[in-house]
Amino acid sequence: MSVDAATVRRIAHLARIKVTDAEVPHLQGELNAMLSFVEQLSEVDIAGVEPMTSVMPMEMKKRADVVDDGDIADVIVVNAPATEGHFFLVPKVVE
C-alpha cells in the first residue's frame, strides 16, 4: 500500500495537524515507510505461537472477583449537600 499526497493531506486534516505543502513529501515518505514495515510484519509466520503477556514466561496475576462497597461509603457522601444514609439526595427534575 502506498500513500499519495492527497492522502497525506486527508490524514493531516483528520488529525487536525497543520501541514504545509513543503512538508507533504517528507510525511508521505514517512507514512509509506511505516506501512511498508507493517506489511513486513504480516509476512511473519506465527502459526503455533502462543499469545503472551510478557517476554518472560510467567503466570498472570489475578485477583478474586468479589463485589463489595469498599467500606468507604461515608467518605464518598461526606461532601454532598444532602444525603440519606449512604445515598445522594437530588432535587426532583421530572414531574
Side-chain angles (χ1 to χ4, degrees):
M1 179 178 192
S2 180
V3 175
D4 61 352
T7 305
V8 171
R9 287 187 183 92
R10 174 99 173 117
I11 292 169
H13 173 74
L14 291 172
R16 305 293 190 257
I17 299 172
K18 184 177 181 180
V19 175
T20 64
D21 290 338
E23 296 171 321
V24 169
H26 175 71
L27 291 174
Q28 183 177 354
E30 292 287 324
L31 288 170
N32 283 328
M34 285 184 239
L35 291 173
S36 170
F37 180 71
V38 171
E39 286 176 358
Q40 287 179 3
L41 290 177
S42 68
E43 296 171 3
V44 175
D45 181 22
I46 56 168
V49 176
E50 294 284 326
M52 56 187 194
T53 58
S54 173
V55 293
M56 300 296 295
M58 64 174 68
E59 278 292 317
M60 209 168 160
K61 296 178 184 172
K62 299 177 184 170
R63 62 172 173 81
D65 190 13
V66 179
V67 177
D68 65 359
D69 65 358
D71 295 326
I72 59 169
D74 294 325
V75 176
I76 292 172
V77 297
V78 73
N79 290 327
T83 62
E84 184 174 306
H86 297 301
F87 298 99
F88 296 99
L89 293 179
V90 295
K92 186 176 182 179
V93 292
V94 179
E95 295 294 331

